[in-house]
Structure formats: C-alpha cells, structure tokens
Amino acid sequence: MARRIGILGGTFNPVHIAHLRGALEVAEFMGLDELRLIPSARPPHRQAPQVTAEQRLAMVELAAAGEPLLAVDDRELKRDKPSFTYDTLESVRGELAADDQLFLLLGWDAFCGLPTWHRWQELLTHCHLLVLQRPDADSEAPEELRDLVAARSVHDPLGLAGPGGQISFIWQTPLAVSATQIRQLLADGRSVRFLVPDAVLAYIHAHGLYRAHTVS
Ligand code: ATP
C-alpha cells in the first residue's frame, strides 16, 4: 500500500512545542504514516555562533524521541553545502516507492515566498504542498502563485491524490511560540520551561546554549 509521508523543514533553533504540536496535528489529521522533521544546514545569520547544526539536530532528535509519528531526517546536515528544498525532496523521493505520497508542509508565509525558491515550479513533481494557513488570515497569494493555485489546488486536504502535484490548505491556529522568542528569553536569563520539551531544556542548559554573552 502507498505510504503517506510528510516533511517539515526548518532551522529548529531551537525546536519548540509549536513545531511539535503543529507537526503532530497535521500528521494525525492527514493520516500520515510518518512526519519527518528536517533541520536545515545553513545557519541563519542571527544564529548564536556556538549553536551548531549538530546541536540543533540533537535537540530535534530529543524532542521527537518516543513519538512514533515523528521522525528526524538529517540529510541536509550530511551534505557539504546548504540544500535547496528541491534537492531534499528529490533525494527523499528517490528512496520512496513510486506511488508513495509525499507532502511538504509550508507555513503561509513560506508559501508566499515560494517564487524565490530554487526550481520552485518543479517542487510539485515530487510532492504535494500542504500550506498551513491561519484561520484569521485573509491575505491573497502573490500574483505569481495565483495560476498555480488555480490549476493545482484541491479544496479538501484529504482529497490530495497520487504521489504529488497538488496543493491544499490546512486551517490551523498556530501556538504563539517562536524560536526567536525562546532565544530572547534565554538571553535575558529567563525560563523557557514548557515552551520546549523537558529533554530539550535539559540539553540547552547542559550545553550552555543561547546565553546572553554568546548570542549574536
Ligand atoms: P525563528 O523564530 O527563529 O524564525 P521559528 O520558530 O519560526 O524560528 P523555524 O525553524 O523557522 O521556527 O520553523 C520551521 C517551520 O515551523 C516553519 O515552516 C514554520 O512556519 C513552522 N512554525 C514555526 N513556528 C510555528 C508556530 N508557532 N506554529 C506553527 N508552525 C510554526
């Protein structure tokens, strides 16, 4: 039987409960067999220099441990150069059966920025796009995306058929948590307990991450 695999990429600097709840809710709603968290290799310019890609990966692994629907995929860190999403999808697709379904999860903001991505028009050859839309959002897709949305969108995300090629929107209220907020709290010497899993909190403290004197 065809498998249903979801992908959520991100910096995960650090991974937090909104990533995890969002991923789990989408995985359950969509009936996915697995949702893969894929940390990106490229450090954003704002990243504290002492937080390595390996440490971000270690935190994602701690966060996902014990949750059968969540898996961690480290392929972007194994490459010697930053991966484009297209390359990651192509590589994941190469490991799946031809009829397996692949769903790339994208926040609305990321979706709107799609036309700037490497080979963006070909992403759909490898996957479906699941766009996470806020229920209160009323913005329109940029001009460049309107034809694509008109041609490829499916109203019901559960109606996405075949291995890839379509777009659907999931309306989900995001938790008001961001990695930026967490880094700031830690830099200010405040607690981030309950914003990240306990195991991630312990890792942050054990490695002295995101402390004020080292945060850029
Ligand atoms: P930063 O604050 O450093 O920009 P972030 O918290 O937005 O980080 P990312 O690693 O950039 O985290 O996000 C990875 C993915 O998770 C993105 O697709 C992003 O849209 C999604 N995401 C981030 N925060 C939330 C949230 N609060 N609710 C739902 N999805 C989120």
Side-chain angles (χ1 to χ4, degrees):
M1 213 175 104
R3 289 191 298 157
R4 289 162 71 76
I5 310 284
I7 285 183
L8 177 65
T11 320
F12 302 121
N13 184 32
V15 64
H16 54 69
I17 57 160
H19 296 133
L20 299 162
R21 271 310 303 177
L24 191 57
E25 285 177 20
V26 169
E28 287 193 327
F29 173 75
M30 291 296 295
L32 300 183
D33 296 296
E34 180 179 289
L35 192 141
R36 296 189 190 176
L37 303 168
I38 307 192
S40 62
R42 188 203 308 264
H45 64 272
R46 63 178 181 275
Q47 184 175 344
Q50 91 285 12
V51 181
T52 64
E54 287 69 28
Q55 288 172 323
R56 289 186 289 109
L57 170 66
M59 291 188 278
V60 176
E61 283 174 339
L62 287 168
E67 172 42 61
L69 275 178
L70 299 182
V72 184
D73 185 322
D74 64 357
R75 78 186 62 222
E76 293 198 1
L77 302 195
K78 286 189 179 146
R79 296 225 175 121
D80 48 11
K81 56 180 180 355
S83 306
F84 293 112
T85 297
Y86 178 86
D87 300 332
T88 300
L89 288 169
E90 188 177 48
S91 141
V92 171
R93 176 50 81 189
E95 295 167 3
L96 302 179
D99 59 347
D100 284 345
Q101 293 186 288
L102 194 55
F103 301 90
L104 177 68
L105 276 60
L106 285 180
W108 170 253
D109 294 352
F111 177 67
C112 290
L114 207 63
T116 64
W117 291 21
H118 178 65
R119 301 180 74 168
W120 69 275
Q121 280 152 319
E122 296 161 82
L123 294 176
L124 286 172
T125 60
H126 294 306
C127 65
H128 293 299
L129 292 185
L130 264 185
V131 183
L132 307 181
Q133 176 64 295
R134 291 169 184 259
D136 57 355
D138 56 6
S139 42
E140 289 235 358
E143 184 76 41
E144 295 153 281
L145 286 172
R146 287 200 198 132
D147 287 350
L148 183 77
V149 170
R152 303 293 192 102
S153 68
V154 173
H155 181 68
D156 179 1
L158 295 173
L160 291 169
Q166 298 172 321
I167 303 172
S168 198
F169 295 84
I170 290 196
W171 301 79
Q172 191 189 47
T173 304
L175 293 169
V177 176
S178 72
T180 303
Q181 172 201 8
I182 289 167
R183 293 194 300 273
Q184 190 58 55
L185 286 169
L186 288 163
D188 291 345
R190 295 174 62 186
S191 173
V192 296
R193 186 140 191 237
F194 309 129
L195 293 176
V196 298
D198 284 347
V200 172
L201 185 66
Y203 187 95
I204 288 172
H205 289 320
H207 293 81
L209 304 183
Y210 307 110
R211 285 197 190 143
H213 64 278
T214 46
V215 171
S216 57

